[in-house]
Amino acid sequence: MATAAASSASEPEAEPKTAPKVGPKAEGDEDELKETRTRRKVLSRAVAAASYKTVGPAWDPQEEGVSESDGDEEYAMASSAESSPGEYEWEYDEEEEKNQLEIERLEEQLSINVYDYNCHVDLIRLLRLEGELTKVRMARQKMSEIFPLTEELWLEWLHDEISMALDGLDREHVYELFEKAVKDYICPNIWLEYGQYSVGGIGQKGGLEKVRSVFERALSSVGLHMTKGLALWEAYREFESAIVEAARLEKVHSLFRRQLAIPLYDMEATFAEYEEWSEDPIPESVIQNYNKALQQLEKYKPYEEALLQAEAPRLAEYQAYIDFEMKVGDPARIQLIFERALVENCLVPDLWIRYSQYLDRQLKVKDLVLSVHNRAVRNCPWTVALWSRYLLAMERYEVDHQTMSATFEKALNAGFIQATDYVEIWQAYLDYLRRRVDFQQDSSKELEELRSTFTRALDYLKQEVEERFNESGDPSCVIMQNWARIEARLCNNMQKARELWDSIMTKGNAKYANMWLEYYNLESHRAHGDTQHCRKALHRAVQCTSDYPEHVCEVLLTMERTEGTLEDWDIAVQKTETRLARVNEQRIKAAEKEAALAQQEEEKAEQRKRARAEKKALKKKKKIRGGDKQRADEDDEKEWGDDEEESAEQPSKRRRVENSVPSADKAQGTGVEAGLAGKRAPVDVGPPSKQKEKAASLKRDMAKVPHDSSKDSITVFVSNLPYSMGEPDVALRPLFETCGEVAEIRPIFSNRGDFRGYCYVEFKDEKSALQALELDRKNVEGRPMFVSPCVDKSKNPDFKVFRYSTALEKHKLFISGLPFSCTKEELEEICKAHGTVKDLRLVTNRAGKPKGLAYVEYENESQASQAVMKMDGMTIKENVIKVAISNPPQRKVPEKPEARKAPGGPMVPRQIYGARGKGRTQLSLLPRALQRPSPAAPQTENGPAPCPAVATSAATEAPKMSNADFAKLLLRK
């Protein structure tokens, strides 16, 4: 009954446990069935052999869940396969050999990187499949020392060990495994298994006390669990009810009363069961506690129901639940909800940080705090903040120095993602060592250890970190600065401090004013510094600083005004004036150079604009020549045509001529007259397809519907569509109807009736429009279709849609150098070897052609860091790829079209035009005498600017002039 209750209670929240897949993939495939049975035979015989050695001939396979008929059938099959070599034996041998090679590869990979989680899981699975029981146990032991195991892994391990346990020693070993399991995560199912297994040892010495101890600990740990705690309470009550002793009735009464005082699901059934079981009336105090628990249950129900309805990992729902519990303030319930959240979100560092911070500040229980910190770094070893907090907690609770050092060494081998993480962990450990030193003594063992650790930290950053990241992670030499301060202020060793600061300045920091001022502050301290070294440092700073030389000069003059002689003052004034004059010259030259470069860019832009204008004029001239030839042909037709009415109705444009369809009589008459005159009948030169021309004419005649901005919330803008798309509304409707009911699709056509490659899709409701945004970048006829919200850019000029993050994403990789022929499936197959790939995106241009770049999103930061180390520098189709953590550079904000200072001239308003330059309708109404040349206007990315342009040509425009300027020009006449 308890087991059934446990399974029913765990259904809403826990995912179903998946047993190892040892069966055939297809039931009807006899070959795979035989092959699978042969593999199962190996594991069954290994278990039987191990059990037989321990127990002897008295071992009964049925007691261990092994059927004699199944065993005989499998053994007969294996024997027949061994005696008569055939295809199944060869297939089995090949499969076994393949598994052995894979096992060797995984073991070699773990010898290189022991923090590869997926590698551990795969190795355990293969060893278990091959029946290597001893190796499976060792592999599980190694993995459990590095990572906390999930509920599924622990239950699988425990079931294997329970099936092999034959005597009291084996039972003690299983007890030890249960103790390890309940420390990794608080899982009700593991506690329930622990309690039920302990019941089997009740016949041993102290067995009854052991069972009660396990169940009491289980209730303390997960008895408050609203959905799964019920199974533990029922299992404990059933156990106590089965014991024949006088005190059992009072024990069962106590369990019922304790359970009814806690808000749990299905409390009404428990209360009814208590009423039926109890011979005496239920005390009033128990009823009051029961009613109070029911009221509490109503408060918790919304959060529990939110968890039941949401999909794993339910982080947002757990965060809301945690916030509620923190307001209530019950420590036991707060701890339980944190533990429940961590079961499904064990790879979320922020959740571990919040939990450990609560324990550090509120509960302050040593064993509990250190246990949570230890589990945190085992779950997220790549997060340096967790390791730093762990070291602080160990120091706070006075853990011995040897354990602290061992923990720090584990942190160094955890495989951090950034170089700065190594600087942070070194700094945390050095702070701990500094606090151990008694600086009242001239020399001590702790001080020597601190100095040697500083030296080791600098060597580690220079060698190990720079080799991996191409940077030390400490460009400002923070560790060396702290060492110098300790030597100067705490050890009174100013000589060593000056040596360290000289080394800091030689590492490229001499140009920064703040570094010199920090050195000056160190030297100006009366206890260990002197004025001479201060003056020397500031004189060097004046000569070397390039970012804020004025600040350094001011500090030097202030010091000489306070402590220096007249000679010192004169020297300081002379040096500062000379330095500042030189700095100003350099700045002027730099400004002139920048202005010259800007001038060159503007001249190049003007040349490009002129070239475009000339090309456009030439194209227009050719079109005019073609029009003249067309008019000549039309005149030819008028000359030879005898029908005056047809001649009078001749349209002036060729498009109308092509679209006009004369009647059959007229066409026939024209042909006869032309034939009689000896001339060839004029042929109507039309497009290749009359149907397309007819469709284009219909699109031209279609009434233009203005966009209704009030429907922007239910409308999406679709662009980058193929121009050759015949009927966009018909082609796109089935695609967008998958998101919801489509009210209208409005494709945009040009004046000639050609599709312009974009349209508006209007839905019936806002939810469908939001779902349609997920179709962004979907391939449509070989091009990535862009889907974005419908926003009026004239009202929201800064609005820009970019669906991907531009910040640092530690779980996502950026891959460059890919061959253009590499497909998404091929790259995904390569990336899967290093972790679970959640998303993979090949970067393409607007035409859908690959650019040799890709973004790969992994399940967590650890897998991403492993993939960087393994894939960076890999060769794919003769291309060497580069792999790094995704950290896009900041996008440059486009300059606003504001008036800027032109080089060497007055303020000139810079004109912004569209992507095609000025429109033909933007005519100049300004007299030529008032026109002035101006720099070419840059082009904008998305259409015309708000202000229209006024100019006579593509290359000239007039500045604004006042009334006085106009008067002077008129008076000159």
Side-chain angles (χ1 to χ4, degrees):
M1 179 178 176
T3 307
S7 61
S8 64
S10 63
E11 282 178 3
E13 182 173 330
E15 297 180 358
K17 291 177 276 188
T18 57
K21 296 181 180 179
V22 296
K25 295 181 180 178
E27 294 180 359
D29 194 338
E30 296 181 359
D31 295 342
E32 290 191 10
L33 180 60
K34 292 178 181 179
E35 182 182 351
T36 305
R37 286 178 175 175
T38 307
R39 286 201 302 268
R40 289 173 57 192
K41 179 266 300 180
V42 178
L43 183 59
S44 301
R45 293 180 65 186
V47 174
S51 304
Y52 187 86
K53 288 180 181 179
T54 307
V55 180
W59 177 71
D60 186 0
Q62 291 183 349
E63 293 180 0
E64 298 297 330
V66 181
S67 172
E68 292 182 0
S69 60
D70 293 343
D72 294 341
E73 181 182 352
E74 291 169 2
Y75 185 77
M77 182 185 301
S79 300
S80 63
E82 291 171 2
S83 61
S84 57
E87 57 177 339
Y88 302 125
E89 179 183 0
W90 289 109
E91 288 178 4
Y92 169 70
D93 291 341
E94 290 178 1
E95 184 70 21
E96 184 179 13
E97 183 179 358
K98 181 180 177 182
N99 289 342
Q100 288 297 333
L101 291 175
E102 181 66 13
I103 288 172
E104 292 177 2
R105 186 190 69 81
L106 293 173
E107 289 176 344
E108 182 180 358
Q109 189 170 347
L110 286 176
S111 65
I112 299 173
N113 180 22
V114 75
Y115 287 94
D116 193 333
Y117 184 90
N118 293 323
C119 193
H120 282 283
V121 176
D122 294 340
L123 179 61
I124 292 171
R125 177 182 57 81
L126 285 175
L127 290 174
R128 193 169 185 268
L129 185 64
E130 291 297 312
E132 301 284 350
L133 300 181
T134 305
K135 290 185 177 181
V136 170
R137 183 177 291 174
M138 292 176 60
R140 284 167 169 165
Q141 185 67 31
K142 288 181 180 178
M143 184 178 181
S144 65
E145 292 174 357
I146 301 172
F147 298 105
L149 304 187
T150 62
E151 179 181 348
E152 291 76 12
L153 290 175
W154 269 120
L155 289 175
E156 183 183 79
W157 188 2
L158 290 167
H159 289 161
D160 289 347
E161 294 292 343
I162 289 172
S163 64
M164 295 292 296
L166 302 172
D167 54 14
L169 293 177
D170 291 339
R171 178 171 288 275
E172 290 299 325
H173 173 65
V174 175
Y175 282 153
E176 292 177 2
L177 283 182
F178 270 114
E179 290 296 331
K180 290 182 179 179
V182 296
K183 289 179 181 178
D184 278 354
Y185 300 108
I186 294 184
C187 299
N189 291 333
I190 294 180
W191 274 111
L192 186 61
E193 290 283 343
Y194 193 6
Q196 291 177 342
Y197 181 72
S198 63
V199 172
I202 194 172
Q204 297 180 351
K205 184 179 180 181
L208 179 60
E209 289 76 10
K210 175 69 175 180
V211 175
R212 285 176 172 169
S213 172
V214 170
F215 273 114
E216 287 293 339
R217 289 171 57 202
L219 293 180
S220 299
S221 180
V222 292
L224 298 176
H225 199 298
M226 298 188 66
T227 56
K228 297 184 180 181
L230 177 65
L232 281 165
W233 287 100
E234 290 184 350
Y236 195 8
R237 283 205 318 271
E238 288 182 8
F239 167 74
E240 291 292 348
S241 300
I243 300 175
V244 182
E245 57 181 47
R248 70 178 180 85
L249 293 178
E250 185 60 33
K251 187 71 174 179
V252 175
H253 273 293
S254 174
L255 286 175
F256 266 119
R257 293 167 184 172
R258 288 166 59 189
Q259 180 180 350
L260 291 174
I262 298 173
L264 297 173
Y265 271 30
D266 205 13
M267 291 185 64
E268 296 82 358
T270 304
F271 185 78
E273 183 182 353
Y274 186 30
E275 285 183 322
E276 182 181 355
W277 180 86
S278 178
E279 298 176 354
D280 302 327
I282 300 178
E284 186 65 26
S285 60
V286 176
I287 297 176
Q288 291 179 358
N289 292 334
Y290 168 69
N291 292 329
K292 185 178 180 181
L294 283 176
Q295 295 176 359
Q296 292 178 347
L297 180 62
E298 293 300 320
K299 296 180 181 179
Y300 288 110
K301 267 188 178 179
Y303 298 98
E304 292 290 344
E305 290 174 356
L307 290 175
L308 296 176
Q309 295 172 3
E311 296 181 358
R314 301 185 273 256
L315 180 60
E317 289 76 14
Y318 276 120
Q319 294 281 15
Y321 205 163
I322 291 171
D323 294 337
F324 172 74
E325 291 286 12
M326 295 283 275
K327 291 179 181 178
V328 175
D330 186 351
R333 299 198 68 90
I334 292 174
Q335 183 184 352
L336 176 64
I337 190 58
F338 267 117
E339 293 290 350
R340 289 176 62 184
L342 288 169
V343 170
E344 298 185 19
N345 299 276
C346 58
L347 301 179
V348 181
D350 292 340
L351 190 59
W352 283 107
I353 290 174
R354 187 179 182 187
Y355 186 24
S356 60
Q357 184 175 339
Y358 168 76
L359 296 177
D360 286 334
R361 297 179 179 178
Q362 301 297 328
L363 295 188
K364 300 180 181 180
V365 179
K366 177 180 177 180
D367 294 338
L368 177 60
V369 171
L370 294 181
S371 172
V372 170
H373 278 290
N374 183 34
R375 290 161 53 204
V377 297
R378 290 172 65 200
N379 276 280
C380 305
W382 63 88
T383 307
V384 68
L386 293 175
W387 287 101
S388 300
R389 289 173 176 271
Y390 190 17
L391 291 175
L392 288 173
M394 293 175 73
E395 182 183 2
R396 193 175 295 119
Y397 292 104
E398 299 179 353
V399 177
D400 61 278
H401 177 61
Q402 186 176 358
T403 306
M404 290 279 295
S405 301
T407 304
F408 169 70
E409 295 298 333
K410 288 182 181 178
L412 283 183
N413 297 323
F416 297 130
I417 298 175
Q418 294 178 314
T420 53
D421 293 344
Y422 287 94
V423 178
E424 183 176 345
I425 193 64
W426 272 109
Q427 191 59 55
Y429 186 58
L430 289 167
D431 291 343
Y432 156 70
L433 293 179
R434 194 267 305 165
R435 288 189 283 267
R436 293 181 67 240
V437 179
D438 182 10
F439 290 100
Q440 300 296 330
Q441 304 178 6
D442 294 337
S443 179
S444 63
K445 181 180 178 181
E446 290 80 7
L447 180 58
E448 294 302 322
E449 183 181 2
L450 175 63
R451 285 171 172 164
S452 63
T453 307
F454 267 116
T455 305
R456 183 191 167 198
L458 298 177
D459 293 340
Y460 187 91
L461 294 177
K462 184 177 180 180
Q463 298 173 4
E464 302 289 338
V465 178
E466 282 190 8
E467 182 179 350
R468 178 180 172 189
F469 298 96
N470 295 325
E471 59 168 329
S472 66
D474 191 14
S476 301
C477 301
V478 175
I479 292 180
M480 204 177 294
Q481 288 186 46
N482 291 336
W483 190 4
R485 294 190 193 98
I486 291 172
E487 292 290 352
R489 298 176 181 176
L490 300 178
C491 300
N492 295 322
N493 189 354
M494 199 61 198
Q495 182 179 355
K496 179 64 176 179
R498 292 183 182 121
E499 292 176 1
L500 292 170
W501 272 104
D502 287 341
S503 179
I504 292 171
M505 294 305 180
T506 56
K507 293 183 181 295
N509 294 298
K511 58 184 178 181
Y512 300 117
N514 64 321
M515 302 297 290
W516 285 107
L517 295 179
E518 189 69 28
Y519 183 24
Y520 166 72
N521 291 333
L522 199 66
E523 288 283 2
S524 61
H525 200 281
R526 292 296 180 185
H528 46 75
D530 57 69
T531 306
Q532 182 179 356
H533 283 91
C534 288
R535 183 177 290 109
K536 184 178 179 181
L538 288 177
H539 280 289
R540 289 175 60 192
V542 168
Q543 299 299 324
C544 299
T545 304
S546 60
D547 54 350
Y548 299 105
E550 295 87 354
H551 192 187
V552 176
C553 293
E554 182 180 355
V555 173
L556 175 59
L557 293 175
T558 302
M559 191 198 76
E560 297 298 356
R561 180 178 286 111
T562 305
E563 302 181 13
T565 62
L566 178 60
E567 183 180 358
D568 296 332
W569 171 262
D570 292 338
I571 293 173
V573 169
Q574 182 181 356
K575 285 195 173 184
T576 53
E577 289 179 351
T578 305
R579 176 57 180 167
L580 292 178
R582 192 183 310 127
V583 169
N584 289 332
E585 290 178 3
Q586 292 174 355
R587 289 175 179 173
I588 292 173
K589 289 181 180 179
E592 291 176 352
K593 186 177 180 180
E594 185 178 355
L597 291 174
Q599 181 95 16
Q600 290 177 6
E601 290 296 327
E602 291 180 357
E603 290 176 357
K604 289 180 181 179
E606 185 177 354
Q607 291 175 2
R608 288 193 296 267
K609 193 170 183 179
R610 286 177 181 173
R612 283 194 297 269
E614 291 173 0
K615 187 176 180 180
K616 191 174 182 181
L618 184 61
K619 194 174 182 181
K620 188 176 180 182
K621 191 174 181 181
K622 289 182 180 179
K623 187 183 290 186
I624 292 173
R625 289 178 181 175
D628 294 340
K629 185 176 180 181
Q630 177 184 345
R631 282 194 293 273
D633 294 339
E634 292 173 359
D635 293 341
D636 220 11
E637 291 177 3
K638 290 179 184 179
E639 181 181 352
W640 292 101
D642 295 332
D643 194 344
E644 293 181 359
E645 183 179 356
E646 183 181 352
S647 177
E649 294 178 357
Q650 184 73 20
S652 59
K653 289 188 179 180
R654 182 177 182 182
R655 184 180 299 135
R656 292 179 59 186
V657 172
E658 294 171 349
N659 293 335
S660 62
V661 182
S663 64
D665 297 337
K666 289 184 179 181
Q668 187 176 1
T670 305
V672 171
E673 292 173 12
L676 292 173
K679 295 284 187 178
R680 190 175 184 181
V683 181
D684 185 15
V685 181
S689 175
K690 300 250 176 164
Q691 293 180 354
K692 290 186 178 180
E693 180 61 29
K694 186 177 180 181
S697 65
L698 291 175
K699 292 169 184 174
R700 287 196 303 272
D701 298 337
M702 187 184 299
K704 294 186 177 180
V705 180
H707 176 66
D708 188 359
S709 59
S710 63
K711 297 182 179 180
D712 285 350
S713 60
I714 59 174
T715 306
V716 295
F717 178 67
V718 184
S719 60
N720 201 44
L721 295 169
Y723 299 112
S724 59
M725 188 176 285
E727 297 183 359
D729 52 344
V730 177
L732 295 175
R733 185 172 290 274
L735 180 62
F736 283 97
E737 281 181 345
T738 59
C739 304
E741 186 178 356
V742 177
E744 182 185 8
I745 296 180
R746 298 192 300 277
I748 307 300
F749 299 95
S750 65
N751 293 330
R752 295 174 55 188
D754 299 328
F755 180 49
R756 300 185 66 179
Y758 60 92
C759 65
Y760 295 89
V761 181
E762 181 182 330
F763 291 90
K764 290 290 187 181
D765 52 12
E766 187 174 351
K767 183 179 179 181
S768 302
L770 294 175
Q771 190 174 353
L773 296 176
E774 298 179 2
L775 297 176
D776 188 34
R777 298 314 197 271
K778 184 175 181 60
N779 192 283
V780 176
E781 296 186 11
R783 293 174 66 92
M785 175 181 67
F786 299 161
V787 184
S788 59
C790 188
V791 177
D792 187 358
K793 287 195 174 183
S794 63
K795 298 179 181 178
N796 300 280
D798 297 331
F799 177 80
K800 193 171 183 67
V801 177
F802 190 72
R803 61 179 292 190
Y804 304 108
S805 174
T806 57
L808 172 65
E809 295 178 282
K810 296 183 179 181
H811 65 290
K812 186 180 289 187
L813 303 184
F814 173 68
I815 304 177
S816 59
L818 289 169
F820 294 150
S821 60
C822 181
T823 64
K824 181 178 180 180
E825 291 74 17
E826 291 173 345
L827 183 59
E828 186 173 6
E829 194 64 28
I830 296 172
C831 297
K832 275 183 178 178
H834 309 291
T836 304
V837 177
K838 293 181 64 178
D839 185 35
L840 189 148
R841 176 170 64 95
L842 289 176
V843 182
T844 61
N845 57 17
R846 284 181 172 267
K849 304 296 182 183
K851 300 173 69 174
L853 308 174
Y855 288 91
V856 182
E857 182 179 358
Y858 280 95
E859 196 172 31
N860 52 58
E861 300 173 12
S862 177
Q863 295 178 1
S865 63
Q866 299 300 328
V868 170
M869 291 188 291
K870 300 295 176 57
M871 293 176 59
D872 189 27
M874 179 185 292
T875 302
I876 300 179
K877 295 183 179 180
E878 300 182 357
N879 282 36
V880 179
I881 64 172
K882 293 183 178 180
V883 184
I885 297 296
S886 177
N887 188 15
Q890 293 185 354
R891 289 173 168 258
K892 294 183 179 180
V893 181
E895 296 182 359
K896 295 184 179 180
E898 299 174 350
R900 60 170 63 184
K901 183 84 173 179
M907 298 293 288
V908 180
R910 176 174 280 190
Q911 194 65 45
I912 305 296
Y913 301 106
R916 296 189 178 93
K918 294 182 181 179
R920 287 177 291 178
T921 59
Q922 295 174 345
L923 303 178
S924 174
L925 302 178
L926 195 66
R928 291 185 179 179
L930 303 183
Q931 295 175 1
R932 294 290 185 274
S934 65
Q939 296 179 352
T940 58
E941 183 182 355
N942 298 316
C947 301
V950 179
T952 57
S953 65
T956 60
E957 59 186 46
K960 294 181 181 179
M961 303 184 69
S962 64
N963 292 336
D965 295 331
F966 279 102
K968 291 179 182 179
L969 291 172
L970 292 172
L971 290 175
R972 288 178 187 173
K973 298 180 179 179

